[in-house]
Amino acid sequence: MRDEAAEDHRLRTKRRRVRPPSARAQAREEEIYAAAAHIFCKHGYVAASLQDIADAVGILKGSLYYYIDSKEDLLFGITKQIHEYSRENLEASQAHEGSAEERIKAFVLGHILSFDMQDVSWVRVFYTEYQFLSGERYDEIVAHRHEYEAHLRVLIDQGKCEGFVCPDVDTWLAATGILTMINSVYMWFQRKGRLSIADVAAGYTRMAVQGLRCPPGHAHG
Amino acid sequence: MRDEAAEDHRLRTKRRRVRPPSARAQAREEEIYAAAAHIFCKHGYVAASLQDIADAVGILKGSLYYYIDSKEDLLFGITKQIHEYSRENLEASQAHEGSAEERIKAFVLGHILSFDMQDVSWVRVFYTEYQFLSGERYDEIVAHRHEYEAHLRVLIDQGKCEGFVCPDVDTWLAATGILTMINSVYMWFQRKGRLSIADVAAGYTRMAVQGLRCPPGHAHG
Protein backbone atom coordinates (compact mmCIF):
# COMPACT_ATOMS: atom_id res chain seq x y z
CA MET A 1 0.00 0.00 0.00
CA ARG A 2 2.92 2.34 -0.56
CA ASP A 3 2.30 3.09 -4.21
CA GLU A 4 0.80 6.32 -5.49
CA ALA A 5 -2.72 4.99 -5.99
CA ALA A 6 -2.86 3.71 -2.42
CA GLU A 7 -1.54 6.99 -1.12
CA ASP A 8 -4.12 8.86 -3.18
CA HIS A 9 -6.83 6.64 -1.76
CA ARG A 10 -5.66 7.22 1.80
CA LEU A 11 -5.67 11.00 1.33
CA ARG A 12 -9.01 10.90 -0.38
CA THR A 13 -10.77 8.98 2.36
CA LYS A 14 -9.01 10.87 5.14
CA ARG A 15 -10.11 14.37 4.28
CA ARG A 16 -13.78 15.29 4.60
CA ARG A 17 -15.11 18.68 5.40
CA VAL A 18 -17.37 18.61 8.42
CA ARG A 19 -17.69 22.36 8.85
CA PRO A 20 -18.37 25.00 6.16
CA PRO A 21 -15.12 26.01 4.45
CA SER A 22 -13.24 28.97 5.88
CA ALA A 23 -12.71 32.10 3.78
CA ARG A 24 -9.14 30.96 3.30
CA ALA A 25 -10.19 27.51 2.10
CA GLN A 26 -12.67 29.13 -0.26
CA ALA A 27 -10.03 31.40 -1.74
CA ARG A 28 -7.75 28.40 -2.19
CA GLU A 29 -10.53 26.47 -3.88
CA GLU A 30 -11.07 29.31 -6.35
CA GLU A 31 -7.36 29.37 -7.02
CA ILE A 32 -7.37 25.63 -7.74
CA TYR A 33 -10.26 25.91 -10.19
CA ALA A 34 -8.62 28.87 -11.95
CA ALA A 35 -5.37 26.92 -12.31
CA ALA A 36 -7.25 23.85 -13.57
CA ALA A 37 -9.08 25.96 -16.19
CA HIS A 38 -5.77 27.33 -17.47
CA ILE A 39 -4.11 23.95 -17.57
CA PHE A 40 -7.05 22.12 -19.18
CA CYS A 41 -7.27 24.94 -21.72
CA LYS A 42 -3.57 24.80 -22.55
CA HIS A 43 -2.87 21.05 -22.56
CA GLY A 44 -6.36 19.56 -22.86
CA TYR A 45 -8.19 17.74 -20.08
CA VAL A 46 -6.85 14.31 -20.97
CA ALA A 47 -3.17 15.32 -20.97
CA ALA A 48 -3.38 17.47 -17.82
CA SER A 49 -2.53 15.90 -14.46
CA LEU A 50 -3.46 16.78 -10.87
CA GLN A 51 0.26 17.16 -10.28
CA ASP A 52 0.39 20.00 -12.87
CA ILE A 53 -2.49 21.73 -11.09
CA ALA A 54 -0.98 21.32 -7.63
CA ASP A 55 2.33 22.68 -8.98
CA ALA A 56 0.61 25.71 -10.51
CA VAL A 57 -1.08 26.53 -7.20
CA GLY A 58 2.05 25.73 -5.21
CA ILE A 59 0.54 23.06 -2.97
CA LEU A 60 1.10 19.34 -2.54
CA LYS A 61 -0.96 17.08 -4.79
CA GLY A 62 -2.42 15.41 -1.70
CA SER A 63 -3.86 18.73 -0.52
CA LEU A 64 -6.08 18.85 -3.60
CA TYR A 65 -8.13 16.03 -2.09
CA TYR A 66 -9.38 18.38 0.55
CA TYR A 67 -11.34 20.08 -2.26
CA ILE A 68 -12.03 17.40 -4.84
CA ASP A 69 -12.21 13.64 -5.27
CA SER A 70 -10.89 13.44 -8.83
CA LYS A 71 -9.65 15.40 -11.83
CA GLU A 72 -13.13 15.09 -13.28
CA ASP A 73 -14.53 17.08 -10.34
CA LEU A 74 -12.47 20.03 -11.55
CA LEU A 75 -13.74 19.68 -15.10
CA PHE A 76 -17.30 19.39 -13.86
CA GLY A 77 -16.90 22.44 -11.58
CA ILE A 78 -15.61 24.56 -14.47
CA THR A 79 -18.25 23.33 -16.88
CA LYS A 80 -20.96 23.81 -14.29
CA GLN A 81 -19.92 27.42 -13.72
CA ILE A 82 -20.29 28.38 -17.40
CA HIS A 83 -23.39 26.24 -17.57
CA GLU A 84 -24.86 28.40 -14.77
CA TYR A 85 -24.36 31.61 -16.75
CA SER A 86 -25.94 29.98 -19.71
CA ARG A 87 -28.84 28.68 -17.60
CA GLU A 88 -29.45 32.17 -16.20
CA ASN A 89 -29.57 33.55 -19.73
CA LEU A 90 -32.03 30.83 -20.76
CA GLU A 91 -34.28 31.42 -17.74
CA ALA A 92 -34.27 35.19 -18.24
CA SER A 93 -35.28 34.64 -21.85
CA GLN A 94 -38.03 32.18 -20.92
CA ALA A 95 -39.45 34.73 -18.46
CA HIS A 96 -39.14 37.62 -20.96
CA GLU A 97 -42.59 38.63 -22.15
CA GLY A 98 -41.63 40.95 -24.99
CA SER A 99 -41.81 40.51 -28.75
CA ALA A 100 -39.70 37.86 -30.47
CA GLU A 101 -37.41 40.61 -31.74
CA GLU A 102 -36.79 41.93 -28.21
CA ARG A 103 -36.37 38.43 -26.83
CA ILE A 104 -33.85 37.35 -29.49
CA LYS A 105 -31.91 40.57 -28.97
CA ALA A 106 -31.75 40.01 -25.21
CA PHE A 107 -30.89 36.32 -25.57
CA VAL A 108 -28.00 36.83 -28.02
CA LEU A 109 -26.69 39.84 -26.13
CA GLY A 110 -26.87 38.03 -22.78
CA HIS A 111 -25.11 35.00 -24.23
CA ILE A 112 -22.11 36.97 -25.46
CA LEU A 113 -21.91 39.27 -22.44
CA SER A 114 -21.52 36.25 -20.18
CA PHE A 115 -18.09 35.77 -21.80
CA ASP A 116 -16.88 38.84 -19.97
CA MET A 117 -17.70 37.44 -16.54
CA GLN A 118 -14.82 35.05 -16.38
CA ASP A 119 -11.52 34.09 -17.88
CA VAL A 120 -11.85 32.96 -21.48
CA SER A 121 -10.12 29.67 -20.64
CA TRP A 122 -13.20 28.61 -18.62
CA VAL A 123 -15.37 29.10 -21.69
CA ARG A 124 -12.90 27.26 -23.88
CA VAL A 125 -12.82 24.31 -21.48
CA PHE A 126 -16.62 24.34 -21.38
CA TYR A 127 -16.89 24.06 -25.16
CA THR A 128 -14.00 21.76 -25.97
CA GLU A 129 -13.56 19.45 -22.97
CA TYR A 130 -17.10 18.74 -21.68
CA GLN A 131 -17.07 15.57 -23.80
CA PHE A 132 -14.75 14.00 -21.19
CA LEU A 133 -17.35 14.20 -18.43
CA SER A 134 -18.83 10.86 -17.57
CA GLY A 135 -22.34 9.51 -17.14
CA GLU A 136 -24.93 11.81 -15.59
CA ARG A 137 -22.65 14.82 -15.63
CA TYR A 138 -22.19 14.55 -19.37
CA ASP A 139 -25.92 13.97 -19.86
CA GLU A 140 -26.76 17.04 -17.79
CA ILE A 141 -24.56 19.34 -19.88
CA VAL A 142 -25.76 17.91 -23.18
CA ALA A 143 -29.43 18.10 -22.15
CA HIS A 144 -28.95 21.76 -21.23
CA ARG A 145 -27.34 22.50 -24.60
CA HIS A 146 -30.23 20.91 -26.43
CA GLU A 147 -32.70 22.91 -24.37
CA TYR A 148 -30.75 26.10 -25.06
CA GLU A 149 -30.69 25.51 -28.81
CA ALA A 150 -34.36 24.51 -28.88
CA HIS A 151 -35.24 27.73 -27.07
CA LEU A 152 -33.68 29.86 -29.80
CA ARG A 153 -35.72 27.94 -32.38
CA VAL A 154 -38.88 28.70 -30.38
CA LEU A 155 -38.00 32.40 -30.43
CA ILE A 156 -37.41 32.33 -34.19
CA ASP A 157 -40.76 30.60 -34.72
CA GLN A 158 -42.42 33.20 -32.51
CA GLY A 159 -40.77 35.80 -34.77
CA LYS A 160 -42.31 34.17 -37.82
CA CYS A 161 -45.77 34.38 -36.26
CA GLU A 162 -45.21 38.03 -35.43
CA GLY A 163 -43.94 38.77 -38.95
CA PHE A 164 -40.52 39.94 -37.82
CA VAL A 165 -38.73 36.83 -39.11
CA CYS A 166 -38.99 36.17 -42.85
CA PRO A 167 -41.19 33.14 -43.61
CA ASP A 168 -38.47 31.86 -45.97
CA VAL A 169 -36.04 31.41 -43.07
CA ASP A 170 -35.34 27.80 -42.12
CA THR A 171 -35.66 27.94 -38.34
CA TRP A 172 -33.14 25.18 -37.62
CA LEU A 173 -30.53 26.59 -40.01
CA ALA A 174 -30.92 30.15 -38.73
CA ALA A 175 -30.58 29.02 -35.10
CA THR A 176 -27.51 26.96 -36.03
CA GLY A 177 -25.92 29.90 -37.84
CA ILE A 178 -26.53 32.28 -34.92
CA LEU A 179 -25.29 29.80 -32.30
CA THR A 180 -22.18 28.99 -34.36
CA MET A 181 -21.33 32.67 -34.57
CA ILE A 182 -21.94 33.53 -30.92
CA ASN A 183 -20.44 30.32 -29.51
CA SER A 184 -17.13 30.92 -31.23
CA VAL A 185 -16.35 34.33 -29.72
CA TYR A 186 -14.13 32.65 -27.12
CA MET A 187 -11.88 31.40 -29.94
CA TRP A 188 -10.60 34.84 -30.85
CA PHE A 189 -11.78 37.34 -28.23
CA GLN A 190 -9.03 39.20 -26.40
CA ARG A 191 -9.77 41.38 -23.42
CA LYS A 192 -7.23 43.96 -24.50
CA GLY A 193 -8.18 43.91 -28.18
CA ARG A 194 -9.73 46.74 -30.19
CA LEU A 195 -13.29 45.54 -29.55
CA SER A 196 -14.75 45.23 -26.05
CA ILE A 197 -17.07 42.35 -25.29
CA ALA A 198 -19.91 44.90 -25.38
CA ASP A 199 -18.90 45.87 -28.95
CA VAL A 200 -18.86 42.24 -30.00
CA ALA A 201 -22.19 41.53 -28.32
CA ALA A 202 -23.84 44.59 -29.92
CA GLY A 203 -22.41 43.82 -33.37
CA TYR A 204 -23.32 40.15 -33.42
CA THR A 205 -26.78 40.84 -31.97
CA ARG A 206 -27.43 43.36 -34.73
CA MET A 207 -26.28 40.87 -37.40
CA ALA A 208 -28.29 37.99 -35.91
CA VAL A 209 -31.53 39.95 -35.58
CA GLN A 210 -31.16 41.75 -38.89
CA GLY A 211 -30.25 38.49 -40.65
CA LEU A 212 -33.66 37.02 -39.80
CA ARG A 213 -35.65 39.72 -41.60
CA CYS A 214 -36.89 39.51 -45.16
CA PRO A 215 -34.78 41.28 -47.77
CA PRO A 216 -36.19 44.65 -48.89
CA GLY A 217 -39.01 44.26 -51.39
CA HIS A 218 -39.62 40.62 -50.45
CA ALA A 219 -43.23 39.53 -50.98
CA HIS A 220 -44.37 38.19 -47.61
CA GLY A 221 -45.68 34.62 -47.56
CA MET B 1 20.48 -1.29 -43.01
CA ARG B 2 17.78 -3.87 -42.35
CA ASP B 3 15.60 -1.73 -40.09
CA GLU B 4 12.33 -0.13 -41.22
CA ALA B 5 13.77 3.34 -41.77
CA ALA B 6 16.46 1.96 -44.05
CA GLU B 7 13.91 -0.07 -45.96
CA ASP B 8 11.70 3.01 -46.28
CA HIS B 9 14.65 4.95 -47.61
CA ARG B 10 15.45 2.25 -50.15
CA LEU B 11 11.89 2.18 -51.43
CA ARG B 12 11.71 5.95 -51.49
CA THR B 13 14.83 6.40 -53.57
CA LYS B 14 14.09 3.43 -55.82
CA ARG B 15 10.75 4.57 -57.16
CA ARG B 16 10.60 7.59 -59.40
CA ARG B 17 8.10 8.11 -62.12
CA VAL B 18 9.76 8.74 -65.45
CA ARG B 19 6.62 8.57 -67.58
CA PRO B 20 3.25 10.20 -66.94
CA PRO B 21 1.15 8.01 -64.62
CA SER B 22 -1.11 5.46 -66.26
CA ALA B 23 -4.88 5.69 -65.77
CA ARG B 24 -4.56 2.84 -63.33
CA ALA B 25 -1.86 4.59 -61.31
CA GLN B 26 -3.98 7.74 -61.28
CA ALA B 27 -7.01 5.87 -59.98
CA ARG B 28 -4.85 4.29 -57.29
CA GLU B 29 -3.46 7.68 -56.32
CA GLU B 30 -6.99 9.05 -55.90
CA GLU B 31 -7.84 6.05 -53.77
CA ILE B 32 -4.81 6.70 -51.55
CA TYR B 33 -5.72 10.35 -51.01
CA ALA B 34 -9.33 9.45 -50.26
CA ALA B 35 -8.20 6.87 -47.68
CA ALA B 36 -5.77 9.37 -46.15
CA ALA B 37 -8.51 12.00 -45.84
CA HIS B 38 -10.75 9.51 -44.02
CA ILE B 39 -8.02 8.35 -41.69
CA PHE B 40 -6.68 11.86 -40.90
CA CYS B 41 -10.25 12.96 -40.28
CA LYS B 42 -11.01 10.05 -37.96
CA HIS B 43 -7.77 9.74 -35.97
CA GLY B 44 -6.09 13.10 -36.59
CA TYR B 45 -3.01 13.61 -38.74
CA VAL B 46 -0.52 13.10 -35.92
CA ALA B 47 -1.93 9.76 -34.77
CA ALA B 48 -2.45 8.34 -38.27
CA SER B 49 0.28 6.18 -39.83
CA LEU B 50 1.16 5.35 -43.42
CA GLN B 51 0.56 1.73 -42.44
CA ASP B 52 -3.10 2.57 -41.64
CA ILE B 53 -3.48 4.18 -45.04
CA ALA B 54 -1.82 1.30 -46.90
CA ASP B 55 -4.08 -1.14 -45.02
CA ALA B 56 -7.19 0.85 -45.93
CA VAL B 57 -6.26 0.78 -49.63
CA GLY B 58 -5.13 -2.84 -49.44
CA ILE B 59 -1.58 -2.29 -50.66
CA LEU B 60 1.85 -2.68 -49.09
CA LYS B 61 3.18 0.32 -47.24
CA GLY B 62 6.22 0.37 -49.52
CA SER B 63 3.97 0.85 -52.56
CA LEU B 64 2.84 4.22 -51.17
CA TYR B 65 6.29 5.58 -51.98
CA TYR B 66 5.49 5.31 -55.65
CA TYR B 67 3.04 8.18 -55.06
CA ILE B 68 4.42 10.18 -52.17
CA ASP B 69 7.60 10.83 -50.20
CA SER B 70 6.07 11.29 -46.76
CA LYS B 71 2.85 11.39 -44.74
CA GLU B 72 2.99 15.15 -45.01
CA ASP B 73 2.67 14.92 -48.80
CA LEU B 74 -0.75 13.39 -48.28
CA LEU B 75 -1.81 16.15 -45.91
CA PHE B 76 -0.51 18.77 -48.31
CA GLY B 77 -2.30 17.15 -51.26
CA ILE B 78 -5.62 17.14 -49.40
CA THR B 79 -5.19 20.69 -48.11
CA LYS B 80 -4.13 21.87 -51.56
CA GLN B 81 -7.24 20.41 -53.14
CA ILE B 82 -9.63 22.33 -50.86
CA HIS B 83 -7.36 25.34 -51.13
CA GLU B 84 -7.88 25.21 -54.91
CA TYR B 85 -11.66 25.40 -54.58
CA SER B 86 -11.26 28.28 -52.23
CA ARG B 87 -8.79 30.01 -54.55
CA GLU B 88 -11.21 29.64 -57.48
CA ASN B 89 -13.93 31.24 -55.39
CA LEU B 90 -11.62 34.10 -54.45
CA GLU B 91 -10.52 34.69 -58.04
CA ALA B 92 -14.09 34.60 -59.33
CA SER B 93 -15.02 37.17 -56.71
CA GLN B 94 -12.05 39.40 -57.53
CA ALA B 95 -13.05 39.35 -61.21
CA HIS B 96 -16.74 39.97 -60.43
CA GLU B 97 -17.68 43.50 -61.47
CA GLY B 98 -21.11 43.75 -59.84
CA SER B 99 -22.31 45.63 -56.80
CA ALA B 100 -21.01 44.76 -53.35
CA GLU B 101 -24.31 43.05 -52.61
CA GLU B 102 -24.05 40.83 -55.68
CA ARG B 103 -20.39 40.11 -55.00
CA ILE B 104 -20.94 39.15 -51.34
CA LYS B 105 -23.86 36.92 -52.36
CA ALA B 106 -21.74 35.14 -54.97
CA PHE B 107 -18.74 34.82 -52.65
CA VAL B 108 -20.67 33.31 -49.71
CA LEU B 109 -22.72 31.06 -51.98
CA GLY B 110 -19.61 29.87 -53.85
CA HIS B 111 -17.81 29.18 -50.60
CA ILE B 112 -20.50 26.91 -49.21
CA LEU B 113 -21.27 25.20 -52.51
CA SER B 114 -17.65 24.07 -52.75
CA PHE B 115 -18.42 21.78 -49.80
CA ASP B 116 -20.53 19.66 -52.09
CA MET B 117 -17.69 18.94 -54.48
CA GLN B 118 -15.90 16.48 -52.27
CA ASP B 119 -16.14 14.30 -49.26
CA VAL B 120 -16.66 16.30 -46.05
CA SER B 121 -13.61 14.63 -44.48
CA TRP B 122 -11.36 16.53 -46.92
CA VAL B 123 -12.81 19.82 -45.70
CA ARG B 124 -12.46 18.77 -42.08
CA VAL B 125 -8.80 17.83 -42.60
CA PHE B 126 -8.26 21.18 -44.35
CA TYR B 127 -9.62 23.13 -41.37
CA THR B 128 -8.32 21.12 -38.46
CA GLU B 129 -5.02 19.55 -39.59
CA TYR B 130 -3.34 22.18 -41.82
CA GLN B 131 -1.43 23.37 -38.73
CA PHE B 132 0.76 20.26 -39.06
CA LEU B 133 2.13 21.31 -42.43
CA SER B 134 5.70 22.50 -42.24
CA GLY B 135 7.56 25.54 -43.52
CA GLU B 136 6.56 26.96 -46.89
CA ARG B 137 3.54 24.69 -47.21
CA TYR B 138 2.10 26.00 -43.96
CA ASP B 139 2.91 29.58 -44.93
CA GLU B 140 1.20 29.16 -48.30
CA ILE B 141 -2.07 27.96 -46.74
CA VAL B 142 -2.06 30.63 -44.03
CA ALA B 143 -1.26 33.42 -46.53
CA HIS B 144 -4.18 32.29 -48.68
CA ARG B 145 -6.54 32.32 -45.68
CA HIS B 146 -5.50 35.83 -44.78
CA GLU B 147 -6.04 36.96 -48.36
CA TYR B 148 -9.46 35.27 -48.41
CA GLU B 149 -10.56 36.95 -45.19
CA ALA B 150 -9.19 40.33 -46.27
CA HIS B 151 -11.15 40.05 -49.52
CA LEU B 152 -14.45 39.72 -47.66
CA ARG B 153 -13.57 42.84 -45.67
CA VAL B 154 -12.94 44.69 -48.95
CA LEU B 155 -16.37 43.64 -50.20
CA ILE B 156 -18.02 44.81 -46.96
CA ASP B 157 -16.25 48.17 -47.24
CA GLN B 158 -17.36 48.45 -50.85
CA GLY B 159 -20.89 47.79 -49.55
CA LYS B 160 -20.56 50.67 -47.10
CA CYS B 161 -19.57 53.04 -49.92
CA GLU B 162 -22.53 51.88 -51.96
CA GLY B 163 -24.90 52.28 -48.99
CA PHE B 164 -25.93 48.61 -48.92
CA VAL B 165 -23.97 47.85 -45.72
CA CYS B 166 -24.99 49.83 -42.62
CA PRO B 167 -22.31 52.36 -41.61
CA ASP B 168 -22.57 51.09 -38.01
CA VAL B 169 -21.26 47.67 -39.02
CA ASP B 170 -17.73 46.90 -37.84
CA THR B 171 -16.16 45.48 -40.99
CA TRP B 172 -13.76 43.14 -39.21
CA LEU B 173 -16.42 41.77 -36.86
CA ALA B 174 -18.97 41.26 -39.63
CA ALA B 175 -16.43 39.41 -41.80
CA THR B 176 -15.43 37.27 -38.82
CA GLY B 177 -19.06 36.43 -38.05
CA ILE B 178 -19.83 35.47 -41.64
CA LEU B 179 -16.66 33.40 -42.04
CA THR B 180 -17.26 31.61 -38.73
CA MET B 181 -20.76 30.66 -39.84
CA ILE B 182 -19.84 29.49 -43.33
CA ASN B 183 -16.59 27.78 -42.35
CA SER B 184 -18.32 25.56 -39.83
CA VAL B 185 -20.81 23.91 -42.20
CA TYR B 186 -18.52 20.90 -42.51
CA MET B 187 -18.93 20.26 -38.77
CA TRP B 188 -22.56 19.27 -39.05
CA PHE B 189 -23.49 18.93 -42.73
CA GLN B 190 -24.74 15.52 -43.79
CA ARG B 191 -25.29 14.64 -47.42
CA LYS B 192 -28.40 12.69 -46.63
CA GLY B 193 -29.82 15.20 -44.16
CA ARG B 194 -33.00 17.25 -44.53
CA LEU B 195 -31.16 20.22 -46.04
CA SER B 196 -29.15 19.97 -49.26
CA ILE B 197 -25.92 21.92 -49.58
CA ALA B 198 -27.84 24.28 -51.89
CA ASP B 199 -30.40 24.92 -49.10
CA VAL B 200 -27.63 25.64 -46.62
CA ALA B 201 -25.80 27.91 -49.07
CA ALA B 202 -28.98 29.85 -49.91
CA GLY B 203 -30.01 30.19 -46.25
CA TYR B 204 -26.63 31.32 -44.97
CA THR B 205 -26.12 33.69 -47.90
CA ARG B 206 -29.49 35.31 -47.17
CA MET B 207 -28.58 35.69 -43.47
CA ALA B 208 -25.10 37.03 -44.19
CA VAL B 209 -26.24 39.61 -46.75
CA GLN B 210 -29.33 40.62 -44.82
CA GLY B 211 -27.32 40.86 -41.58
CA LEU B 212 -25.16 43.63 -43.06
CA ARG B 213 -28.06 46.01 -43.75
CA CYS B 214 -29.26 48.73 -41.41
CA PRO B 215 -32.26 47.88 -39.24
CA PRO B 216 -35.54 49.36 -40.52
CA GLY B 217 -35.90 53.03 -39.63
CA HIS B 218 -32.16 53.43 -38.99
CA ALA B 219 -30.89 56.96 -39.65
CA HIS B 220 -28.06 56.57 -42.17
CA GLY B 221 -24.62 57.93 -41.19
Side-chain angles (χ1 to χ4, degrees):
Chain A
M1 292 293 277
R2 292 236 181 124
D3 65 353
E4 208 195 349
E7 175 63 8
D8 279 4
H9 180 260
R10 195 185 60 78
L11 289 162
R12 203 178 288 145
T13 47
K14 190 180 145 204
R15 69 98 199 131
R16 279 290 159 204
R17 280 190 210 143
V18 285
R19 288 174 299 177
S22 66
R24 202 180 142 199
Q26 225 168 327
R28 179 47 55 92
E29 186 163 10
E30 281 169 21
E31 217 183 326
I32 293 168
Y33 277 92
H38 274 272
I39 288 168
F40 292 165
C41 178
K42 197 167 168 194
H43 304 296
Y45 172 72
V46 172
S49 73
L50 284 180
Q51 189 63 59
D52 298 334
I53 294 161
D55 290 348
V57 181
I59 58 175
L60 291 170
K61 187 178 145 196
S63 309
L64 287 175
Y65 293 120
Y66 179 76
Y67 305 93
I68 50 155
D69 285 327
S70 65
K71 186 171 80 163
E72 198 191 301
D73 285 354
L74 291 170
L75 179 61
F76 188 59
I78 293 162
T79 311
K80 194 81 185 164
Q81 177 68 73
I82 304 300
H83 178 101
E84 280 312 310
Y85 291 126
S86 158
R87 170 152 297 288
E88 280 166 25
N89 191 44
L90 177 63
E91 285 171 1
S93 181
Q94 283 162 338
H96 194 306
E97 292 180 348
S99 67
E101 185 176 345
E102 289 160 354
R103 294 179 76 194
I104 295 174
K105 265 184 193 162
F107 184 69
V108 172
L109 204 66
H111 181 88
I112 299 175
L113 287 178
S114 74
F115 286 115
D116 195 36
M117 294 184 201
Q118 62 283 314
D119 194 300
V120 164
S121 54
W122 289 62
V123 186
R124 198 180 292 259
V125 170
F126 177 71
Y127 280 116
T128 64
E129 309 296 309
Y130 78 96
Q131 55 181 308
F132 299 112
L133 290 172
S134 58
E136 284 178 18
R137 292 172 161 190
Y138 176 83
D139 294 344
E140 182 185 337
I141 300 294
V142 170
H144 169 68
R145 289 206 181 179
H146 288 168
E147 195 186 347
Y148 201 80
E149 291 167 15
H151 177 71
L152 181 55
R153 294 196 290 271
V154 168
L155 296 183
I156 292 171
D157 282 338
Q158 183 193 345
K160 280 187 188 170
C161 294
E162 294 174 7
F164 140 65
V165 175
C166 195
D168 292 354
V169 163
D170 183 90
T171 300
W172 183 89
L173 185 65
T176 301
I178 293 172
L179 289 165
T180 301
M181 206 165 77
I182 68 181
N183 279 340
S184 67
V185 172
Y186 79 90
M187 290 189 194
W188 54 263
F189 182 70
Q190 292 183 316
R191 267 178 189 277
K192 295 183 177 171
R194 180 179 61 86
L195 299 171
S196 69
I197 196 74
D199 295 332
V200 174
Y204 272 2
T205 300
R206 220 197 52 74
M207 277 174 83
V209 168
Q210 187 56 28
L212 294 168
R213 293 187 209 278
C214 279
H218 179 276
H220 268 269
Chain B
M1 293 292 279
R2 292 237 180 124
D3 65 354
E4 209 194 347
E7 174 64 8
D8 279 4
H9 180 258
R10 195 185 61 77
L11 289 161
R12 202 178 289 145
T13 47
K14 188 181 145 204
R15 68 97 200 133
R16 281 288 161 203
R17 280 190 209 142
V18 285
R19 286 175 300 179
S22 65
R24 202 180 143 199
Q26 224 167 330
R28 178 48 56 90
E29 187 162 10
E30 281 169 20
E31 218 183 325
I32 292 169
Y33 276 92
H38 274 273
I39 288 168
F40 292 165
C41 178
K42 198 167 168 193
H43 304 296
Y45 172 71
V46 173
S49 73
L50 284 180
Q51 190 63 59
D52 298 335
I53 294 161
D55 290 349
V57 181
I59 58 175
L60 292 171
K61 186 178 145 196
S63 308
L64 287 175
Y65 293 119
Y66 179 76
Y67 304 93
I68 51 156
D69 284 326
S70 66
K71 188 171 78 163
E72 198 190 300
D73 285 356
L74 291 170
L75 179 60
F76 187 59
I78 292 162
T79 311
K80 195 82 186 161
Q81 177 69 71
I82 304 301
H83 179 100
E84 280 310 310
Y85 291 126
S86 159
R87 170 151 298 286
E88 280 167 24
N89 192 42
L90 177 63
E91 286 172 359
S93 182
Q94 282 162 338
H96 193 306
E97 293 179 348
S99 68
E101 184 176 345
E102 288 161 355
R103 294 179 76 194
I104 294 175
K105 265 185 193 163
F107 184 68
V108 172
L109 204 67
H111 182 89
I112 300 175
L113 287 177
S114 75
F115 287 115
D116 195 37
M117 294 187 201
Q118 64 282 315
D119 194 299
V120 164
S121 54
W122 289 62
V123 185
R124 196 180 293 260
V125 170
F126 178 70
Y127 280 116
T128 65
E129 310 296 312
Y130 78 96
Q131 55 181 311
F132 299 111
L133 290 172
S134 58
E136 283 178 19
R137 290 172 163 191
Y138 177 83
D139 294 343
E140 182 185 338
I141 300 294
V142 170
H144 169 67
R145 288 204 182 181
H146 288 168
E147 192 186 351
Y148 202 80
E149 290 167 15
H151 178 70
L152 181 54
R153 294 196 290 271
V154 168
L155 297 184
I156 292 172
D157 282 338
Q158 182 193 345
K160 280 188 188 170
C161 294
E162 294 174 6
F164 140 65
V165 175
C166 195
D168 291 355
V169 163
D170 182 90
T171 300
W172 184 88
L173 186 65
T176 301
I178 293 171
L179 288 165
T180 301
M181 205 166 76
I182 67 180
N183 279 341
S184 67
V185 172
Y186 79 89
M187 291 188 193
W188 54 262
F189 182 70
Q190 293 183 314
R191 267 178 189 277
K192 294 183 179 171
R194 180 178 60 87
L195 299 171
S196 69
I197 196 74
D199 294 332
V200 174
Y204 272 3
T205 300
R206 220 197 51 75
M207 279 173 82
V209 168
Q210 188 56 26
L212 294 168
R213 292 186 209 278
C214 279
H218 180 278
H220 268 271

